[in-house]
Amino acid sequence: MKTYKIKDDEQRIQPSEEQIQRNKDFKRFYANYEKATKRPRPLYKDPKFFFILVLIVIVAYLVSREA
Amino acid sequence: MLRRKNYSLLPDVELIQLSQRNSQYFAHLYDRYFEIIFRFVFKRLGGDESNAGDITQNTFLKALYNIGKYKDQGYPFSSWLYRIAINEVNLHFRALKNSKVIEVDVHGIRNLQQEMETEFELPSNNLDELIRVLNTLSEEHKELIELRFFQELAFKEIAEIYSISEANAKMRIYRILEKLNNAWSK
């Protein structure tokens, strides 16, 4: 529920040019859009993570053979 | 093939089609309409810059999410953006839960007062009384009054936002003025 009251001074409520420019930022806007819409890349598709995974499997295999 | 700088000269309908294929083209629509939507939200929030910025960004985000579903029905693209902005502002007020006091400028309230005087020959010059009766209106009616007298939109623009005829928009505003007049008379 909102109620109104008259602004005390005679000035009209209008944003200044500076306020408009401060808030107008397509790059930030688009980054937010991409963040919200793009799915994070699955870990197994990350080459670094994939390499580490392979390494762990090999080490585990070798350890199990030793034992 | 158009050079990049020429995209801003394209009509809305073409930019919308391009944006539906590639969201990067939405930059031109954002550029074209950011200011009017920001001004609109800023006024509706009574000059709250921080929230006006967030709500404007949300308005454009929702527009971009749904640009694929947008169908040209003969109304300007801006009326679609206005509708989203109105919903976003309403969501904002709803989220606040407690009542929110909005400051309106004297100019806007005088617009309304002048219209009331013309239509109903109200003798009073009492702006505080007008605010009192304005606060008794439903949210829906307040919204229409805001658009017409505080945002100073033309009947045609209001009609486009609500997807109604101009005559219907005029009629709705007139009925609300009548309601205000009745509340004033009490």
Side-chain angles (χ1 to χ4, degrees), chain B residues 63-169:
Chain B
L64 186 51
Y65 292 148
N66 294 297
I67 194 89
K69 294 182 211 156
Y70 180 84
K71 283 195 179 76
D72 185 12
Q73 294 175 321
Y75 299 113
F77 182 64
S78 59
S79 68
W80 189 59
L81 290 176
Y82 274 125
R83 265 209 306 272
I84 300 173
I86 289 169
N87 285 339
E88 287 299 307
V89 170
N90 289 342
L91 281 175
H92 168 76
F93 285 129
R94 226 170 288 154
L96 290 176
K97 286 185 183 152
N98 299 325
S99 58
K100 167 94 176 150
V101 178
I102 307 286
E103 286 195 321
V104 291
D105 57 41
V106 179
H107 179 84
I109 204 77
R110 284 214 177 108
N111 278 343
L112 175 60
Q113 183 207 9
Q114 275 169 11
E115 189 71 19
M116 295 282 290
E117 278 176 0
T118 317
E119 294 290 343
F120 306 106
E121 296 171 1
L122 285 176
S124 174
N125 192 27
N126 189 346
L127 295 184
D128 291 330
E129 176 64 5
L130 186 51
I131 286 285
R132 186 193 67 77
V133 291
L134 190 60
N135 285 331
T136 63
L137 290 178
S138 68
E139 293 298 307
E140 189 192 341
H141 288 171
K142 278 180 193 163
E143 191 171 289
L144 276 159
I145 290 292
E146 268 188 46
L147 294 177
R148 176 65 186 148
F149 299 103
F150 304 160
Q151 301 278 352
E152 296 174 71
L153 297 187
F155 285 117
K156 190 171 179 287
E157 289 173 293
I158 296 172
E160 283 160 356
I161 291 170
Y162 288 93
S163 306
I164 54 176
S165 69
E166 202 174 328
N168 198 335

Side-chain angles (χ1 to χ4, degrees), chain A:
Chain A
M1 181 78 180
K2 62 187 173 199
T3 49
Y4 300 108
K5 80 168 203 183
I6 302 174
K7 196 170 164 56
D8 292 335
D9 55 40
E10 285 279 316
Q11 269 191 335
R12 297 184 65 180
I13 299 170
Q14 288 290 350
S16 66
E17 196 53 42
E18 195 193 340
Q19 285 175 311
I20 294 168
Q21 292 313 321
R22 200 166 35 225
N23 287 281
K24 187 176 177 181
D25 184 353
F26 186 76
K27 272 188 187 161
R28 182 167 61 95
F29 163 78
Y30 200 74
N32 285 340
Y33 170 75
E34 291 221 299
K35 205 166 136 192
T37 53
K38 288 249 162 90
R39 283 178 167 190
R41 198 172 175 189
L43 275 178
Y44 62 87
K45 283 193 178 171
D46 183 335
K48 241 189 203 168
F49 179 79
F50 187 75
F51 178 72
I52 293 170
L53 201 68
V54 169
L55 210 65
I56 291 170
V57 170
I58 291 170
V59 170
Y61 174 73
L62 290 177
V63 168
S64 70
R65 279 199 60 179
E66 285 295 313

